[in-house]
Amino acid sequence: MHATTALRNAVRTPLIRFVGKRSIPQSVDHTPRPHPASPTGVLPDSFAAYRAKAQQHGPLGRASFTQGSVGRTPGAALGPVQPKQGEFFDRAELPRRFHRLPYTEAEIEAIETGGASLYA
């Protein structure tokens, strides 16, 4: 018996069973609403107003991003780069208890052998 012929002749039954008849909504409300987890609970006035206040690696609303002027101002002029109280830029700035632990010889051996040395 050929497996492919048996598979072709088999009737496929889906594993999911839907209860009831399919119902498509008559009308869907697509008006913009603020996200339920939004801190303010209101929509921005416009995208330009949002972009003027948004920050991503520095302020986005500056004129330095206009056509032909990228790179004219130094990065320090984009805004403060000092972390706030309780924030850190690098793991090395954290207290000693949060630093990475050095690998032991057994761990190095396990990594180099792909774990086979643990069972040999």
Side-chain angles (χ1 to χ4, degrees), residues 8-116:
R8 279 191 197 137
N9 295 334
V11 177
R12 184 184 173 278
T13 57
L15 297 176
I16 297 176
R17 297 183 192 271
F18 294 99
V19 180
K21 188 178 179 183
R22 178 185 294 180
S23 62
I24 299 172
Q26 297 299 323
S27 64
V28 179
D29 184 20
H30 289 289
T31 57
R33 288 187 298 275
H35 191 274
S38 170
T40 59
V42 295
L43 289 171
D45 299 333
S46 66
F47 182 73
Y50 160 75
R51 190 169 170 84
K53 292 184 271 184
Q55 294 253 347
Q56 179 184 6
H57 312 297
L60 293 176
R62 298 280 172 100
S64 63
F65 293 105
T66 58
Q67 181 69 24
S69 64
V70 174
R72 288 185 184 175
T73 58
L78 292 176
V81 291
Q82 294 300 321
K84 297 176 186 170
Q85 179 67 24
E87 291 181 356
F88 299 94
F89 286 149
D90 191 42
R91 179 178 248 165
E93 298 172 0
L94 292 171
R96 185 84 185 144
R97 64 183 178 178
F98 297 112
H99 287 203
R100 287 192 173 102
L101 296 174
Y103 291 116
T104 64
E105 287 298 323
E107 290 173 326
I108 293 172
E109 182 70 24
I111 291 169
E112 288 178 349
T113 61

